[in-house]
Amino acid sequence: MRFEQAITFLYSDDAEASWQFYEEVLELPLAQDQGTCRIYEAAPGGRAFLGVCRARAPRATDNPRAVGGVVFTFATREVEAWHARLAAAGIEVPPAVEYSDHYRVTHFFFRDPAGYQLEVQRFDRPDWAGPDWAVPDWAVPGWAVPEG
């Protein structure tokens, strides 16, 4: 038995600004408008969704790595193109994308209007369980899938 879909909910004091960001800047398709909450398709195929709702109370922390914190990651082959697109739209992004030797990913972080940390990431490793765009092992220097 497995779950068929996943929805991550984010809460905003200014939901209208967040909805505009997800609809106009990221251009996520609106799957459902529930009035105080809008659910967007975060990836094609109807398996991953992002709900953006009007907050009922202030956020407990701005630290995404603390208990209760959130980092929402969009996985794509086109990390560099997304970086350029967001920068052109006036979104504060780092000067360049980064490569993490530890995780073997190319990525960058930015924040939405409600202050949530978002990440755009490409898995540069052959063992990613995602779509068939994972990098083949022969393309990653020194990489070997661990045995066992």
Side-chain angles (χ1 to χ4, degrees), residues 79 82-83 86 93-94 96-98 106-110 118-120:
V79 173
W82 271 104
H83 183 271
L86 292 170
V93 295
V97 300
E98 296 181 357
T106 299
H107 68 119
F108 67 94
F109 292 99
F110 63 106
L118 306 176
E119 178 183 29
V120 176

Side-chain angles (χ1 to χ4, degrees), residues 21-29 41-44 73-97 106-110 118-122 133:
F21 173 78
Y22 286 99
E23 292 171 19
E24 296 177 13
V25 177
L26 296 186
E27 297 181 0
L28 297 183
E41 186 177 16
T73 299
F74 295 97
T76 179
R77 289 177 277 202
E78 300 172 339
V79 173
E80 293 81 2
W82 271 104
H83 183 271
R85 177 179 171 175
L86 292 170
I91 305 301
E92 187 175 330
V93 295
V97 300
T106 299
H107 68 119
F108 67 94
F109 292 99
F110 63 106
L118 306 176
E119 178 183 29
V120 176
Q121 174 177 288
R122 177 179 57 243
W133 53 265

